[in-house]
Amino acid sequence: MVLAYLFVLIVLVIGILWIINVPMLSKWKNNKLSFGLNTLLFIIYTLYLIYGNPPFIGHDEYGIRSLWFIILFPMIHIVINLLLILIIRWGYKKVEFK
């Protein structure tokens, strides 16, 4: 039961962080390129985790470890994007945003 709550919490954190990321990038001139590249990267590593045979997962009879990696990778991706967005907004505010 605790694992189910943890799963829901992680999915909510991913959603909330993504919702925070979208408005922060809305005025950036490379917003569409960033969105396209991030979507492509998300699709590639999700398909790799589902259909590939990643060596770091090992033998996973029930698929639980694969499921956690499928949740963990987007969360790491979104946190890294949030940090990059903060760097872009604060470091290059005068140059990139108008």
Side-chain angles (χ1 to χ4, degrees):
M1 192 65 159
V2 173
L3 243 80
Y5 288 128
L6 183 62
F7 179 78
V8 170
L9 180 67
I10 289 171
V11 171
L12 284 174
V13 167
I14 289 172
I16 290 170
L17 286 176
W18 186 78
I19 289 171
I20 290 171
N21 285 343
V22 170
M24 289 178 75
L25 272 181
S26 64
K27 295 180 183 176
W28 190 36
K29 68 179 182 177
N30 296 326
N31 185 20
K32 291 181 182 179
L33 176 65
S34 172
F35 181 76
L37 288 175
N38 282 314
T39 303
L40 182 65
L41 183 62
F42 173 76
I43 290 170
I44 288 171
Y45 66 68
T46 302
L47 289 175
Y48 176 67
L49 287 171
I50 292 172
Y51 298 112
N53 190 11
F56 52 85
I57 290 180
H59 178 70
D60 190 19
E61 187 172 338
Y62 299 110
I64 302 298
R65 194 178 303 158
S66 298
L67 180 65
W68 282 107
F69 276 110
I70 290 171
I71 294 169
L72 181 68
F73 277 30
M75 192 158 124
I76 292 170
H77 182 120
I78 290 172
V79 168
I80 290 171
N81 274 337
L82 180 65
L83 294 174
L84 290 174
I85 289 169
L86 291 174
I87 290 170
I88 289 170
R89 284 190 59 93
W90 289 336
Y92 300 105
K93 195 171 191 175
K94 295 177 183 173
V95 177
E96 298 283 339
F97 293 92
K98 295 180 181 181

